[in-house]
Amino acid sequence: RRRCRAMGLVTTAAGAGVGFSMIMMCNALRRVAYFKRPWEHVIMACLGASFANYWTRVDLWLNDRLKLEMAYYMEKNKDVLDPTYKEVLGDAYNGFFDMMKGKSADK
């Protein structure tokens, strides 16, 4: 949640820039004045900014959901697939399950 707030200004500016650039490119391709309909630039900049912020929120939600699912399935199959996990993870095996639960692997 905190990372989403910190990236808010950068995400908004990038999304607005993409939306604004898109309408500029469309006007250039149509060979009309760049600012023929200035309200389109405002609308596209706002849409681009809102889409970029939405994308950031969805990305953070999906990352959190993936971590939850991974932790659930790793814990569920820990006893069943222990030899496979030890082979794949090697030396990191002991700290991996603690890390998935949010505990420090250093302890």
Side-chain angles (χ1 to χ4, degrees), residues 4 10 12-13 23 29 31 33 42 48-49 64 68 71 75-78 80 92 98:
C4 184
V10 173
T12 302
I23 206 67
L29 288 173
R31 295 184 185 203
V42 174
D64 291 342
L68 282 172
E75 190 62 38
K76 180 177 147 183
N77 295 326
K78 183 178 180 186
V80 177
D98 292 336

Side-chain angles (χ1 to χ4, degrees), residues 40-92:
E40 286 180 347
H41 295 78
V42 174
I43 290 173
M44 287 302 289
C46 291
L47 285 174
S50 63
F51 179 75
N53 282 307
Y54 177 74
W55 183 278
T56 304
R57 281 194 311 256
V58 167
D59 183 48
L60 289 174
W61 181 81
L62 286 173
N63 283 336
D64 291 342
R65 182 69 185 176
L66 178 65
K67 286 179 185 175
L68 282 172
E69 291 289 325
M70 286 280 298
Y72 170 74
Y73 283 110
M74 292 286 283
E75 190 62 38
K76 180 177 147 183
N77 295 326
K78 183 178 180 186
D79 297 330
V80 177
L81 298 174
D82 246 1
T84 307
Y85 289 158
K86 285 181 182 179
E87 182 181 327
V88 171
L89 295 173
D91 295 336

Side-chain angles (χ1 to χ4, degrees), residues 13-31:
V18 168
F20 183 82
S21 299
M22 189 183 308
I23 206 67
M24 292 288 281
M25 289 288 285
C26 288
N27 285 346
L29 288 173
R30 292 186 317 183
R31 295 184 185 203

